[in-house]
Amino acid sequence: MGNHVKEFGRIFDYRDKMLRSNSDSTCVVKVDDSDDSGKLVFQSFYICFDACKKAFLDGCRTRIGLDGCFLKRVTKGQLLVVVAKDGNNQMLPIA
């Protein structure tokens, strides 16, 4: 396993690069500055690609599904995914 502290420190770089290459996408990074050392503490990361938004609006069924799992080990937390089905009955990630 890599250095998760170093990787989380680059999360804003990842967000910026993703928004440069997918300009109409949505990406929100939440951090908290409640750490005693003054460092930012990662809270959450939300991403929705523009292509997925357009595909959902153009041809998906009117129902969505939510799935998630708990992350264990060092990072802890939850991973949530929102999906829909398109006209070909295929899964489409929304967020």
Side-chain angles (χ1 to χ4, degrees):
M1 194 158 167
N3 184 343
H4 69 280
V5 174
K6 182 179 175 184
E7 293 300 321
F8 279 126
R10 299 194 61 207
I11 198 143
F12 291 107
D13 297 334
Y14 177 75
R15 179 202 60 192
D16 296 341
K17 184 156 182 109
M18 194 278 305
L19 289 174
R20 276 194 305 271
S21 62
N22 299 284
S23 60
D24 290 331
S25 297
T26 305
C27 185
V28 178
V29 178
K30 288 188 179 180
V31 294
D32 188 14
D33 59 355
S34 62
D35 189 8
D36 294 335
S37 65
K39 293 183 181 180
L40 296 176
V41 177
F42 174 78
Q43 295 294 316
S44 65
F45 185 79
Y46 166 82
I47 188 168
C48 184
F49 292 106
D50 184 52
C52 293
K53 285 185 214 177
K54 289 179 181 174
F56 176 73
L57 294 173
D58 289 344
C60 280
R61 300 184 178 155
T62 57
R63 289 178 175 70
I64 60 172
L66 175 68
D67 193 14
C69 66
F70 291 98
L71 304 174
K72 298 178 181 181
R73 304 192 78 136
V74 177
T75 55
K76 298 189 170 68
Q78 299 174 11
L79 176 64
L80 299 174
V81 177
V82 179
V83 296
K85 284 193 173 184
D86 65 10
N88 293 326
N89 218 20
Q90 300 295 311
M91 300 289 269
L92 175 75
I94 301 172

